[in-house]
Amino acid sequence: MVYFEDDLLPISALQHLLFCERQCALIHLERLWADNLFTAQGNHLHQKAHSGNPDSRRGVRTTRGLDLHSLTLGLAGQADVIEWEPPAGSRKKGQTLAQAIKSAAPADRIHWRVTPVEYKRGQPKKNDCDRVQVCAQAICLEEMLGVTIPTAMLFYGQQRRRVDVPCDDALRERTRTAAQRLHEMIRSRKTPPAVYEKKCDSCSLKSLCLPTATSRTHSAMDYLQRMLQYSEGTLSE
Amino acid sequence: MKTHLNTLFVTTDGAYLCKDGQAVAVRIKKETRLRVPLHNLDGIVCFGRVGVSPQLMGECASQGVSISFLSSTGRFHAAVVGFSPGNVILRRQQYRLADDAVKSALAARCIILGKLANCRTLLLRAARETDEPVRADRLRKIADRLNANQIDVRTATTVERLRGLEGEAAASYFEAFNDLMIDVAGFTYTRRSRRPPLDPLNALLSFVYALLSHDARSACEGAGLDAAVGYLHEDRPGRPGMALDLMEEFRPCLADRLVFSLINRRQVHARDFEKVETGAVRMSDSTRKTVLVAYQERKQEVVTHPFLGEKMTFGQLLHIQARLMSRWIRGDLDAYPPYVWK
């Protein structure tokens, strides 16, 4: 299936989806947002990663904040950093690395190393959500450039270190499934019900989601009943 | 969630507000008298002749700080609010439910039940606090009547019937007002007059309700609701139906309680109200200031939300109620749970 440009969803929504489907719906369907310390730190880091000019060093060009999309995944977004490394000797005489990259035809790019690097504030997570996000960026680049990207990278702010993310079949499959699920949810216009878990306490949307109040065990009708019994009973004291 | 921040009230005639970096500068006669960082504010309320620069309006809009322009007596003129969160799905659902007689009645019923319970709490508290048995008795009798209304409301199924019952209950509730004021010269309740208020008590009530409605509007906006479309209040152009719906349960516990304690503690005096030629009553600047300070202080008081079981300030309660309303609209809750004051 190929999506239309109008229907592209943010790449970053995949991460929200994998963290919590309800959070994803609140952000991307209901357009709710709230910041907390973590999201503010994350924004700051991304701003830093995005800003700054491209540069070339030892045959590797680094670009920042470029727009990406994939019509097969139905996603669009920005890559914090992309590194470009054409094999030595592929440059024409007198051509800068930047010019070579911009003017290359798809056939020229076959042996290039192109690597998206996604910046994250904390440390590597147990689940796949960061890997899926950067894998989606890799798929975008493959589609836009006709290259093959075997490995993407994640940079974690807390340990200030890069981690390789092999874009193997399993991760690609997981990324495609997540993108599909995301489109289904947005199309359904339904926000999944809340299920309170420990991770809710670190979620900046907690007070918009109200997970303890809206989980199915908590009935507003019962609450009202209790309150009225209390109120109506207060005379007889 | 937007934590409960401060509201900047500007009451000085001729004041001009402008953007100064990430702060609001308040200028009086071209002299900067005050600077308040924007991240400390959730709203700015201007009374009377106050100017605001377009740059400040833009910055406030993008940071989610609402600006309201009120007359010097507190009547709402206009508001500057940013691009609303654009929760189009929530809004459509809000409208759909407003067109659905059964669902509207369910919401209206919850709102009125919350209000009646809170009115009763106010009366019963006053009955406990007074040392005059006759007065206490009268207050309890009226609370009793509200109890009967409450029971009728529980079984009413149409919004029209609910509005009727609410009107009856309000009439009983107002009857208690003279017993809520203890030996204060010049404050008596005769009837509710709003346009304009014709006595000091009505002037106070109107003023505090205007403050409350400003906050209720902001709470609606913050939760992505359309402040204009309510369930209890019929649509009327220019009327913030949803904000008024949300206000109902807070009138007794936030507004009325505040007004009566200001009067009973003699923080405001009837002599501070001026009668103009038409019979309309205006309050003095110093009284207005007293009320604003008391209102802000009241909003800082911490209570436990009986439904959520979480501690929060009175000011946050409004925002939480707007969110609970939107969660009900989106189908996450089986009813709208009003704030019930104990």
Side-chain angles (χ1 to χ4, degrees):
Chain A
M1 176 172 172
V2 175
Y3 290 90
F4 293 108
E5 284 202 342
D6 269 356
D7 299 329
L8 301 183
L9 298 170
I11 296 175
S12 57
L14 291 181
Q15 178 162 47
H16 301 137
L17 184 89
L18 294 177
F19 175 72
C20 163
E21 293 210 352
R22 182 173 166 88
Q23 187 207 49
C24 183
L26 292 175
I27 297 171
H28 299 282
L29 201 54
E30 305 203 18
R31 317 262 319 160
L32 298 176
W33 181 252
D35 273 313
N36 65 10
L37 178 66
F38 301 137
T39 60
Q41 283 175 344
N43 280 345
H44 181 67
L45 184 77
H46 277 276
Q47 258 167 23
K48 264 177 45 186
H50 273 181
S51 63
N53 295 320
D55 58 67
S56 303
R57 219 179 279 173
R58 291 193 201 111
V60 179
R61 181 147 180 90
T62 303
T63 57
R64 296 163 205 278
L66 294 187
D67 293 317
L68 309 173
H69 78 250
S70 158
L71 297 178
T72 56
L73 291 177
L75 299 174
Q78 274 193 337
D80 286 333
V81 163
I82 303 172
E83 288 185 349
W84 311 75
E85 190 182 3
S90 63
R91 230 186 298 173
K92 288 189 195 105
K93 228 183 163 183
Q95 206 179 25
T96 64
L97 189 55
Q99 286 163 343
I101 290 168
K102 277 187 189 156
S103 62
D108 303 337
R109 299 192 189 116
I110 291 174
H111 297 294
W112 287 17
R113 192 183 65 84
V114 179
T115 313
V117 188
E118 173 65 16
Y119 280 58
K120 293 289 168 197
R121 54 160 285 282
Q123 41 193 338
K125 302 181 183 71
K126 282 202 188 94
N127 65 23
D128 260 356
C129 60
D130 292 344
R131 284 189 292 274
V132 163
Q133 192 183 357
V134 76
C135 177
Q137 294 177 10
I139 294 175
C140 289
L141 284 166
E142 289 180 339
E143 208 176 296
M144 292 169 86
L145 301 167
V147 295
T148 306
I149 301 179
T151 312
M153 282 180 180
L154 286 161
F155 173 87
Y156 283 101
Q158 235 164 55
Q159 47 198 174
R160 312 201 54 75
R161 189 167 299 152
R162 283 183 174 191
V163 185
D164 275 350
V165 179
C167 297
D168 53 26
D169 289 346
L171 184 60
R172 285 168 190 270
E173 188 49 37
R174 198 149 155 60
T175 306
R176 269 191 290 274
T177 313
Q180 255 168 32
R181 174 77 201 110
L182 176 66
H183 275 277
E184 273 163 32
M185 195 183 70
I186 299 292
R187 229 178 294 128
S188 80
R189 303 190 141 215
K190 288 210 177 74
T191 305
V195 183
Y196 179 76
E197 283 178 55
K198 214 173 162 205
K199 67 183 180 189
C200 295
D201 296 329
S202 66
C203 173
S204 74
L205 263 66
K206 190 183 173 198
S207 63
L208 296 164
C209 166
L210 300 166
T212 48
T214 55
S215 56
R216 292 292 173 208
T217 53
H218 217 69
S219 161
M221 211 70 110
D222 292 348
Y223 154 81
L224 206 52
Q225 207 67 25
R226 275 200 317 278
M227 282 315 193
L228 295 177
Q229 270 161 12
Y230 168 83
S231 171
E232 284 161 15
T234 39
L235 264 199
S236 49
E237 64 181 60
Chain B
M1 133 164 204
K2 184 151 185 141
T3 48
H4 176 59
L5 302 165
N6 281 311
T7 306
L8 172 65
F9 295 103
V10 186
T11 56
T12 311
D13 217 38
Y16 187 73
L17 311 185
C18 52
K19 181 172 172 286
D20 182 355
Q22 285 300 300
V24 191
V26 182
R27 287 199 192 151
I28 295 161
K29 291 186 180 140
K30 297 196 172 164
E31 200 181 300
T32 302
R33 293 287 188 81
L34 181 70
R35 282 180 86 257
V36 187
L38 270 174
H39 67 260
N40 287 340
L41 293 177
D42 65 359
I44 300 176
V45 182
C46 305
F47 291 92
R49 228 166 44 80
V50 174
V52 178
S53 79
Q55 279 73 20
L56 179 63
M57 291 188 197
E59 191 60 35
C60 284
S62 73
Q63 295 205 24
V65 179
S66 61
I67 308 178
S68 286
F69 294 94
L70 274 53
S71 75
S72 56
T73 54
R75 268 195 72 188
F76 180 83
H77 285 323
V80 177
V81 272
F83 191 67
S84 54
N87 189 345
V88 61
I89 292 172
L90 171 67
R91 286 188 180 214
R92 264 183 180 270
Q93 189 68 15
Q94 182 185 351
Y95 305 145
R96 254 182 233 123
L97 296 188
D99 288 336
D100 179 331
V102 176
K103 289 285 171 64
S104 291
L106 174 62
R109 195 195 309 152
C110 294
I111 291 163
I112 296 174
L113 286 173
K115 178 184 181 175
L116 290 187
N118 295 346
C119 285
R120 296 190 69 244
T121 301
L122 179 76
L123 300 183
L124 294 173
R125 275 193 178 202
R128 276 199 301 273
E129 284 160 9
T130 177
D131 42 21
E132 296 171 51
V134 188
R135 191 190 285 269
D137 213 41
R138 280 197 300 262
L139 287 168
R140 287 209 185 87
K141 280 224 171 70
I142 294 175
D144 236 343
R145 257 152 64 196
L146 294 184
N147 213 357
N149 286 118
Q150 195 161 300
I151 289 160
D152 289 339
V153 169
R154 290 173 76 160
T155 54
T157 50
T158 66
V159 176
E160 290 69 33
R161 169 94 178 114
L162 285 162
R163 286 189 191 127
L165 288 168
E166 203 268 331
E168 278 172 38
S172 315
Y173 175 64
F174 285 141
E175 263 178 53
F177 275 19
N178 278 319
D179 281 320
L180 292 169
M181 296 177 284
I182 303 159
D183 304 328
V184 278
F187 285 104
T188 41
Y189 180 76
T190 41
R191 68 180 186 90
R192 178 85 182 102
S193 56
R194 296 181 297 136
R195 295 172 159 187
L198 298 173
D199 58 55
L201 176 63
N202 273 298
L204 268 177
L205 287 172
S206 288
F207 185 66
V208 177
Y209 290 158
L211 298 177
L212 186 55
S213 90
H214 163 86
D215 288 343
R217 261 170 189 263
S218 311
C220 289
E221 279 295 327
L225 290 164
D226 186 335
V229 178
Y231 298 118
L232 172 61
H233 290 85
E234 223 174 341
D235 287 358
R236 195 182 293 164
R239 183 164 77 170
M242 179 54 79
L244 294 175
D245 279 8
L246 279 181
M247 262 177 78
E248 289 300 340
E249 65 205 71
F250 290 101
R251 282 178 202 265
C253 45
L254 193 55
D256 301 343
R257 169 91 170 165
L258 180 78
V259 165
F260 292 118
S261 57
L262 280 170
I263 293 173
N264 289 335
R265 289 185 192 144
R266 295 170 203 277
Q267 286 171 279
V268 296
H269 304 275
R271 61 168 186 270
D272 294 331
F273 293 78
E274 184 202 1
K275 213 175 188 99
V276 300
E277 291 77 357
T278 55
V281 166
R282 288 186 193 154
M283 67 176 88
S284 69
D285 285 352
S286 66
T287 305
R288 191 172 305 128
K289 217 167 243 173
T290 308
V291 177
L292 289 173
V293 169
Y295 181 72
Q296 279 301 93
E297 282 171 359
R298 179 82 177 118
K299 285 206 300 185
Q300 309 286 352
E301 274 174 41
V302 177
V303 287
T304 301
H305 194 292
F307 180 61
L308 298 173
E310 286 171 30
K311 278 197 170 145
M312 58 190 70
T313 62
F314 248 100
Q316 279 173 315
L317 271 178
L318 265 165
H319 290 269
I320 281 290
Q321 289 308 122
R323 272 161 208 171
L324 288 170
M325 178 61 85
S326 67
R327 292 327 320 164
W328 171 69
I329 291 171
R330 289 292 285 139
D332 289 337
L333 290 167
D334 54 348
Y336 165 67
Y339 169 70
V340 179
W341 184 39
K342 285 195 182 177

